[in-house]
Amino acid sequence: MQGEKKILYSAVQPTNNLTIGNYIGAVSNWVNLQNSYDCVFAIANMHAITVRQNPAELRKNTLSLLALYIACGIDPQKCVLYLQSHVHEHAELAWVLNTFTYVGEMERMTQFKDKSARHADNINMGLMDYPVLMAADILLYLADVVPVGVDQRQHLEITRDIAVRFNNIYSPTFVVPEGLYMKVGAKIGDLLDPSKKMSKSAENANGSVFMSDDRDTIIRKFKRAVTDSGSEIKYDPENKPGVSNLLSIYSVFTGKGMEECEREFSGCGYGDFKLAVGEAVADKLTPIQAEQARLLSDKAYLDGILREGAEKASARARRTLAKVYKKIGFYQV
Ligand code: TYM
């Protein structure tokens, strides 16, 4: 714990375009939490290279993600915002934690299996080691809580296991972090197949709404979204996955509670409902996109944020790594 507040850590990879799934499951949630916690938010570019990236695009996506964080309402005065590769302690702690992690555990990770199937020509060690680097991210900052979507739950569980394992062998060193999952929106589904997670790399881009989509595209995608049999608009993820997914999106984008949303659409047809969800999303995203573009035109400002963020993050990371090196017996002069 830093001062009075608990420490909160999270990150997003600067790959492709973010979807509203990333926004709902992560960034929008961070905005709400930034006043209650001591927040550290990273841009996880070291995780991004586990899948081959175009260097120019990776650089561009990095600044674009930073601008998006700020445009969404993350306040760089309140939070530490930094780029993962600017703090070399991440790679160093990941190496140490590798020796406390078993190959079998990594092979069992669902995301590793999924990504291996999708990138069969490039099943590199980094792809398999990805959760250990994520554990290093979280443990370096002694985070108490980690707000993520449910797709990251398994990675968080292994982070906890690694922390406990290390603490038991040496002495309490790491804080064992808790995952923080939203009640609504921790897993936004694909608009065309709500049983699948909405993803940046979906085969059909019509199932994902990107943070950069313009108003017409957003509304067109929502109009095509699949709904369910029956005509009632109520939140019932088991029996009405399509409608529930749309209600979750609407609830987060408007800030209205689920019951209020259900009441608002009672007696409404699916067509009007889908249009209303599309409009709510477009209304929220349009000013965010304008602010992101404005910020991107001021590269000096963004670079300054990253420089300051790296300094603050490094100071914390350095302290934790020094403790770890001492405990495991690395000779210090
Ligand atoms: P990434 O970049 O894949 O996704 C960023 C965040 O978005 C959430 N998310 C979703 N939430 C709800 N519905 C969806 N359809 C959806 N899709 C994605 C993810 O759960 C995540 O919270 N490994 C992480 C980045 C990372 C990290 C960390 C996170 C690196 N180090 C340390 C927390 C702590 C990742 O790939 O997220």
Side-chain angles (χ1 to χ4, degrees):
M1 213 187 284
Q2 175 103 347
E4 292 294 290
K5 289 179 175 170
K6 286 190 167 185
I7 299 175
L8 180 150
Y9 186 94
S10 201
V12 172
Q13 294 186 71
T15 44
N16 306 325
N17 232 318
L18 258 65
T19 70
I20 59 167
N22 299 120
Y23 176 73
I24 295 172
V27 186
S28 74
N29 204 9
W30 304 354
V31 174
N32 297 330
L33 296 165
Q34 65 182 335
N35 291 321
S36 323
Y37 290 89
D38 169 22
C39 293
V40 183
F41 297 123
I43 297 174
N45 60 340
M46 290 166 68
H47 280 99
I49 60 163
T50 55
V51 171
R52 206 60 73 218
Q53 301 291 326
N54 171 307
E57 248 167 54
L58 181 59
R59 258 189 296 274
K60 183 166 160 269
N61 288 339
T62 298
L63 268 199
S64 182
L65 181 54
L66 176 67
L68 186 65
Y69 280 177
I70 301 170
C72 288
I74 306 282
D75 183 348
Q77 302 302 322
K78 284 189 195 146
C79 312
V80 178
L81 283 182
Y82 76 103
L83 183 61
Q84 190 183 28
S85 64
H86 286 170
V87 180
H88 56 77
E89 283 82 359
H90 288 254
E92 293 175 71
L93 182 61
W95 178 253
V96 174
L97 298 183
N98 272 330
T99 66
F100 296 89
T101 311
Y102 299 101
V103 171
E105 289 176 314
M106 295 295 98
E107 282 171 338
R108 281 196 292 278
M109 292 284 127
T110 315
Q111 202 172 84
F112 170 64
K113 288 194 268 187
D114 284 354
K115 286 195 179 171
S116 301
R118 267 193 283 133
H119 304 277
D121 56 337
N122 184 20
I123 307 176
N124 60 72
M125 284 301 297
L127 196 62
M128 188 170 167
D129 205 27
Y130 181 114
V132 180
L133 179 59
M134 187 161 153
D137 296 345
I138 297 166
L139 299 180
L140 267 181
Y141 298 90
L142 307 176
D144 299 285
V145 291
V146 182
V148 279
V150 288
D151 62 324
Q152 298 297 322
R153 191 190 290 272
Q154 214 183 17
H155 293 162
L156 212 51
E157 289 306 314
I158 197 76
T159 298
R160 291 166 55 86
D161 292 347
I162 295 170
V164 169
R165 210 170 279 164
F166 189 98
N167 288 350
N168 285 343
I169 297 175
Y170 301 96
S171 52
T173 309
F174 296 123
V175 172
V176 182
E178 299 283 342
L180 199 65
Y181 309 96
M182 288 175 88
K183 275 204 211 85
V184 170
K187 186 183 175 197
I188 294 298
D190 186 283
L191 293 189
L192 300 176
D193 178 0
S195 68
K196 282 198 301 200
K197 160 183 107 158
M198 184 182 285
S199 157
K200 294 175 191 167
S201 49
E203 268 163 43
N204 187 340
N206 286 323
S208 298
V209 177
F210 297 101
M211 294 298 284
S212 58
D213 280 346
D214 62 32
R215 187 175 193 90
D216 289 349
T217 309
I218 294 171
I219 291 184
R220 179 175 50 77
K221 286 181 178 177
F222 276 102
K223 275 189 182 161
R224 287 197 197 160
V226 299
T227 42
D228 314 290
S229 54
S231 60
E232 213 184 345
I233 296 174
K234 69 168 196 257
Y235 187 71
D236 178 358
E238 194 111 312
N239 301 307
K240 295 201 142 229
V243 167
S244 303
N245 193 38
L246 294 172
L247 275 172
S248 300
I249 295 172
Y250 187 77
S251 163
V252 173
F253 271 85
T254 57
K256 294 178 186 166
M258 195 51 85
E259 276 171 25
E260 190 183 347
C261 299
E262 284 177 334
R263 235 178 295 126
E264 194 176 324
F265 292 113
S266 96
C268 176
Y270 280 163
D272 289 342
F273 168 53
K274 290 196 281 185
L275 182 63
V277 181
E279 280 176 344
V281 171
D283 286 349
K284 180 94 185 183
L285 290 190
T286 306
I288 291 179
Q289 291 165 351
E291 178 61 3
Q292 185 190 20
R294 190 190 68 78
L295 288 163
L296 279 170
S297 67
D298 192 353
K299 188 169 168 295
Y301 169 73
L302 295 175
D303 284 351
I305 303 272
L306 287 181
R307 251 184 238 114
E308 201 180 312
E311 237 170 75
K312 288 189 191 155
S314 295
R316 295 186 184 202
R318 209 179 301 133
R319 276 202 297 274
T320 308
L321 190 70
K323 268 192 219 151
V324 170
Y325 276 7
K326 196 164 170 212
K327 292 202 182 189
I328 58 177
F330 281 2
Y331 184 74
Q332 279 156 336
V333 288

